[in-house]
Amino acid sequence: MTDFLKKAFKDMKESAKAQHEVDKANFQAAKAEARAQWEEAKAMSKPERRKDILQAQRDQQIEEANKRKEAAQARIDVAKVK
């Protein structure tokens, strides 16, 4: 009986340590994400930086639209051949 209790408490101790490590990692990740969000917001307050970021986003959207257009054209070409 005592061996069972010793093993049970040892397992609980190990589980608590492992959960603590998970909690610590999650806290560090949340802290880093908050810092990144703060830095992004701070960068967006500068007009030049804001223009650059928005232009990069628009360029990416144009690139994705062009890829979709090419895929659609390929589907059209395949459909016309049949």
Side-chain angles (χ1 to χ4, degrees):
M1 179 81 169
T2 57
D3 289 337
F4 172 77
L5 290 176
K6 284 181 183 179
K7 185 177 180 192
F9 284 116
K10 183 180 178 186
D11 287 347
M12 287 190 309
K13 182 180 177 182
E14 290 172 0
S15 178
K17 280 184 180 180
Q19 186 60 46
H20 178 69
E21 291 298 317
V22 169
D23 292 342
K24 240 172 42 172
N26 283 332
F27 178 73
Q28 293 297 326
K31 190 174 163 183
E33 288 170 344
R35 177 66 185 212
Q37 198 172 26
W38 166 255
E39 292 297 330
E40 287 172 346
K42 195 166 79 171
M44 290 297 271
S45 68
K46 298 175 184 170
E48 314 85 40
R49 179 77 173 132
R50 182 176 170 80
K51 285 181 185 177
D52 292 343
I53 290 171
L54 292 176
Q55 186 60 46
Q57 289 174 345
R58 286 190 293 263
D59 291 343
Q60 182 181 9
Q61 290 173 346
I62 290 170
E63 184 178 322
E64 290 171 2
N66 287 336
K67 286 180 184 178
R68 289 182 15 230
K69 182 180 168 186
E70 289 173 6
Q73 187 61 46
R75 289 173 44 205
I76 291 170
D77 293 343
V78 168
K80 283 185 177 181
V81 171
K82 291 182 179 181

